[in-house]
């Protein structure tokens, strides 16, 4: 394992139509090895930009990101990435989509097939390999995206609102699946969401970013064993405290997540 992330003074400015746009301002954050950190905030606060900088997909205007002792300036085999859209190649079977990173790394074909099948089983899709993405539901395609990211055995997993495009019940199931995988393998996970309930369900630590430019407004450590009951007094109080810092009321889907937790969905 390569340790966690150390983010020192990361700022990012983009060229705007009339003037530069500062997306991130002096982000300083440490993510410990094996920790599950959620980046939370409203749309436009720079969550995805920060995640892409951590993945080496963008470079900061200033500041540095290290994974362990290694400076991150480009994509790295130790870092797996899962996006909201899994972007599966429609002309490749599910198994061959999972094999993609291994193929690019020069892993022999027989080994690629074995690893792909192992990871499809890991995400609950043991029979999906011969199918094509169009034959799968949205939730199943997202599982394939997770399997593809895990197949190269990265030390860390970066996830950019990966469950945002699926229906509510599928989202809850994917949250449970992700927590199971994380508890079994203890990879470092940094997860972007704008949903407070999702953050509370998943995180060891929640990092709230301010809107435009993104700065760290507050962090919370989330106590309690998983799976968590969102109707507990402690977690309801945490939810309300987070919303008070965001400046809004609990979203409908977050309230529904609380109800679902009570009935065991």
């Amino acid at each position: 394992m390569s340790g966690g992330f150390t983010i020192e003074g990361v700022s990012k400015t983009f060229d705007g139509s009339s003037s530069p746009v500062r997306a991130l301002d002096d982000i300083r954050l440490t993510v410990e090895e094996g920790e599950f950190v959620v980046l939370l905030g409203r749309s436009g606060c720079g969550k995805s930009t920060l995640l892409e900088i951590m993945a080496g997909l963008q470079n900061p205007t200033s500041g540095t990101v290290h994974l362990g002792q290694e400076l991150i300036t480009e994509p790295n085999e130790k870092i797996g990435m899962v996006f909201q859209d899994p972007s599966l190649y429609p002309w490749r079977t599910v198994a061959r989509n999972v094999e993609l990173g291994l193929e690019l790394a020069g892993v022999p074909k027989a080994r690629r097939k074995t690893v792909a099948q192992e990871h499809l089983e890991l995400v609950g899709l043991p029979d999906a390999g011969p199918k094509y993405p169009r034959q799968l539901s949205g939730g199943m395609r997202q599982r394939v995206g997770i399997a593809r990211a895990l197949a190269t055995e990265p030390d860390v997993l970066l996830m950019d609102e990966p469950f945002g495009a699926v229906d509510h019940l599928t989202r809850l199931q994917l949250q449970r699946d992700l927590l199971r995988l994380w508890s079994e393998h203890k990879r470092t996970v940094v997860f972007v969401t704008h949903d407070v309930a999702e953050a509370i369900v998943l995180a060891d630590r929640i990092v709230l970013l301010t809107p435009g430019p993104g700065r760290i407004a507050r962090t919370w450590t989330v106590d309690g064993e998983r799976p968590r009951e969102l109707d507990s007094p402690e977690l309801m109080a945490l939810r309300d405290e987070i919303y008070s810092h965001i400046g809004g009321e609990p979203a409908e889907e977050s309230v529904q997540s609380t109800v679902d937790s009570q009935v065991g969905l």
Side-chain angles (χ1 to χ4, degrees):
M1 297 291 284
S2 299
F5 283 101
T6 304
I7 302 169
E8 288 286 351
V10 163
S11 297
K12 181 68 176 182
T13 301
F14 294 100
D15 293 331
S17 56
S18 58
S19 62
V21 177
R22 196 164 181 83
L24 296 170
D25 184 48
D26 195 29
I27 300 294
R28 298 177 184 273
L29 179 66
T30 298
V31 179
E32 300 295 337
E33 183 175 306
E35 189 177 20
F36 198 128
V37 170
V38 171
L39 302 179
L40 178 69
R42 294 182 180 275
S43 297
C45 71
K47 305 184 299 295
S48 295
T49 299
L50 178 57
L51 203 72
E52 290 184 5
I53 291 172
M54 294 172 71
L57 300 175
Q58 294 190 45
N59 286 320
T61 305
S62 60
T64 59
V65 174
H66 285 83
L67 178 60
Q69 301 300 314
E70 187 172 358
L71 178 66
I72 301 300
T73 59
E74 60 185 7
N76 190 301
E77 63 182 8
K78 298 173 183 176
I79 301 172
M81 188 85 183
V82 179
F83 298 95
Q84 181 171 339
D85 180 351
S87 299
L88 304 178
Y89 290 117
W91 59 87
R92 296 177 71 119
T93 63
V94 166
R96 291 200 64 226
N97 268 284
V98 176
E99 290 177 31
L100 183 60
L102 301 169
E103 185 178 332
L104 295 173
V107 176
K109 183 176 181 179
R111 178 59 181 162
R112 294 200 308 262
K113 290 171 66 70
T114 299
V115 172
Q117 181 59 34
E118 289 173 352
H119 283 80
L120 285 171
E121 292 174 3
L122 191 67
V123 299
L125 296 174
D127 302 319
K131 298 180 180 179
Y132 287 86
R134 65 179 180 274
Q135 298 174 280
L136 306 183
S137 68
M140 292 170 75
R141 287 194 295 272
Q142 197 56 267
R143 285 189 178 93
V144 174
I146 294 171
R148 181 179 58 191
L150 292 176
T152 57
E153 299 189 351
D155 291 342
V156 301
L157 195 60
L158 305 182
M159 310 185 75
D160 191 2
E161 300 202 55
F163 309 148
V166 299
D167 66 82
H168 182 66
L169 293 179
T170 300
R171 185 172 188 158
L172 294 176
Q173 183 60 55
L174 288 170
Q175 289 170 3
R176 289 194 292 269
D177 291 343
L178 176 60
L179 285 175
R180 174 181 57 82
L181 292 172
W182 174 80
S183 66
E184 290 173 357
H185 299 278
K186 290 298 183 184
R187 286 184 176 88
T188 306
V189 176
V190 182
F191 185 105
V192 163
T193 187
H194 62 269
D195 185 272
V196 173
E198 184 165 67
I200 292 172
V201 164
L202 295 176
D204 290 321
R205 189 158 48 106
I206 298 170
V207 179
L208 177 65
L209 298 185
T210 62
R215 302 184 180 97
I216 294 179
R218 176 75 190 271
T219 64
W220 291 270
T221 298
V222 187
D223 297 319
E225 296 296 323
R226 300 172 176 92
R228 293 174 176 146
E229 297 295 334
L230 286 173
D231 59 336
S232 73
E234 295 81 9
L235 294 185
M236 290 183 72
L238 175 59
R239 185 197 65 177
D240 292 343
E241 181 180 349
I242 293 171
Y243 272 112
S244 73
H245 280 78
I246 294 175
E249 296 298 326
E252 182 178 347
E253 64 267 23
S254 299
V255 174
Q256 186 62 45
S257 294
T258 304
V259 173
D260 290 340
S261 74
Q262 295 176 25
V263 298
L265 287 176

